[in-house]
Amino acid sequence: MAAAYAQLMPIPDGLIAIGAATADFERLADLADLPVGSMLRVTRGDLDVLLVNTEGGICAIDDRCPHMSAPLSLGTLEGCVVACPLHKGKFNLCDGNVVQFPTTGGLDADGVSHAPWTPADSAPKPEPTDLKAMARAATRVRRLRYYPVRVVNGHIEVRIPR
Ligand code: FES
């Protein structure tokens, strides 16, 4: 039987997770458990890793939305774009950038301010005007961070910092 082919996604420049470059590889899953178009959450210690097999290859990121840390594994995947289950933020796994800013608004990775917005299929909600509004406006949505991945004998291995 031919070995399953696994394409790996290159990590975008400057977006490797802190400590991951020199960490040891750990086996997190079998390749057979991550077909193209799927996501898988794997926990090691207090780190929740999201394995994703996209049209651009397999990657590993934190299973935490870069907005307010919701688990992206509960979101949806379309091509290379993962959508967060909260606040409708969307993120491109192929380059680490925001595709759609969260409804709450806030700061992007470059410090540019984005206003809150209402999805077309939702009724407008009153926006907070107090400390909560200040916190939303000052919340920075970083680019995604990645862990190096390799596939060995059908197993997905990831460099996990300890
Ligand atoms: S926590 Fe993901 S968009 Fe807000």
Side-chain angles (χ1 to χ4, degrees), residues 17-81:
I18 291 173
T22 57
D24 293 333
F25 278 101
E26 292 186 34
R27 182 183 297 182
L28 295 195
D30 291 338
L31 185 57
D33 294 333
L34 192 70
V36 174
S38 70
M39 303 191 285
L40 184 65
R41 172 186 172 114
V42 181
T43 298
R44 289 290 182 275
D46 66 356
L47 186 66
D48 300 311
V49 177
L50 182 65
L51 299 174
V52 191
N53 194 348
T54 76
E55 58 195 22
I58 295 171
C59 67
I61 63 171
D62 290 303
D63 189 20
R64 293 163 62 92
C65 178
H67 179 225
M68 292 186 182
S69 300
L72 293 172
S73 55
L74 296 181
T76 56
L77 179 67
E78 272 187 46
C80 258
V81 175

Side-chain angles (χ1 to χ4, degrees), residues 72-141:
L72 293 172
S73 55
L74 296 181
T76 56
L77 179 67
E78 272 187 46
C80 258
V81 175
V82 61
C84 179
L86 296 180
H87 313 130
K88 301 203 181 287
K90 293 184 179 181
F91 308 92
N92 188 337
L93 293 158
C94 292
D95 63 16
N97 286 309
V98 174
V99 174
Q100 175 170 280
F101 214 78
T103 54
T104 53
L107 299 176
D108 66 23
D110 300 315
V112 176
S113 182
H114 294 254
W117 60 280
T118 301
D121 58 353
S122 301
K125 286 192 289 192
E127 288 296 328
T129 56
D130 52 6
L131 193 60
K132 189 172 178 181
M134 292 172 62
R136 284 179 170 201
T139 297
R140 184 183 296 262
V141 183

Side-chain angles (χ1 to χ4, degrees), residues 8-17 20 59-60 94 145-149:
L8 302 180
M9 181 186 293
I11 293 178
D13 282 350
L15 296 185
I16 192 166
C59 67
C94 292
R145 293 292 189 275
Y146 296 77
Y147 299 93
V149 178

